């Protein structure tokens, strides 16, 4: 008789714990993510095109500003015009914009 009560208590406990596991996602569902893992870390692309000037004064050209939020480095991607991406109408292959370092933000100060 004691064995029968003990088995019923154990089965009831197992059922209750399984019910908690099954109901938990309904009460607080896990968050969904629209993107997969970041391949390039966290970056911010400044809207529009601006005049980029190399710190050493070697070049001054129109382009896009991209900030790496992990390192604080500010990169300039030349577009050579008002368009938001590089265009070369003389070639059928799309051109590649090679960035150059403009500056660096000290983002570690923000975490203090």
């Amino acid at each position: 008789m004691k064995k029968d009560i003990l088995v019923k208590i154990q089965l009831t406990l197992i059922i209750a714990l399984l019910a908690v596991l099954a109901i938990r996602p309904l009460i607080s569902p896990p968050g969904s993510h629209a993107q997969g893992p970041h391949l390039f870390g966290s970056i911010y692309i400044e809207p529009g095109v601006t005049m980029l000037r190399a710190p050493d004064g070697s070049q001054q050209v129109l382009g896009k500003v991209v900030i790496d939020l992990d390192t604080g480095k500010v990169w300039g991607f030349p577009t050579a015009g008002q368009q938001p991406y590089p265009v070369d109408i003389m070639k059928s292959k799309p051109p590649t914009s090679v960035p150059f370092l403009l500056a660096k933000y000290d983002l570690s100060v923000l975490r203090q």
Side-chain angles (χ1 to χ4, degrees), residues 46-54 58-66 75-87 96-100 102:
E46 183 73 25
V49 178
T50 188
M51 183 59 69
L52 307 173
R53 184 185 167 281
S58 63
Q59 57 182 323
Q60 187 170 340
V61 65
L62 287 172
K64 298 288 283 184
V65 175
V66 177
W75 295 93
F77 284 83
T79 60
Q82 290 293 332
Q83 65 277 7
Y85 54 89
V87 175
T96 300
S97 180
V98 179
F100 58 95
L102 297 173

Side-chain angles (χ1 to χ4, degrees), residues 87-95:
V87 175
D88 187 357
I89 58 172
M90 301 303 283
K91 296 181 182 175
S92 61
K93 280 181 87 174

Side-chain angles (χ1 to χ4, degrees), residues 9-69:
I9 291 173
Q10 288 176 342
L11 286 175
T12 305
L13 183 64
I14 290 171
I15 291 170
L17 292 175
L18 285 174
V20 167
L21 286 175
I23 293 173
R24 191 169 127 197
L26 297 174
I27 294 171
S28 64
S32 62
H33 302 285
Q35 299 177 350
H38 297 290
L39 298 176
F40 302 107
S42 298
I43 61 170
Y44 172 75
I45 301 174
E46 183 73 25
V49 178
T50 188
M51 183 59 69
L52 307 173
R53 184 185 167 281
D56 61 359
S58 63
Q59 57 182 323
Q60 187 170 340
V61 65
L62 287 172
K64 298 288 283 184
V65 175
V66 177
I67 302 171
D68 183 346
L69 298 176

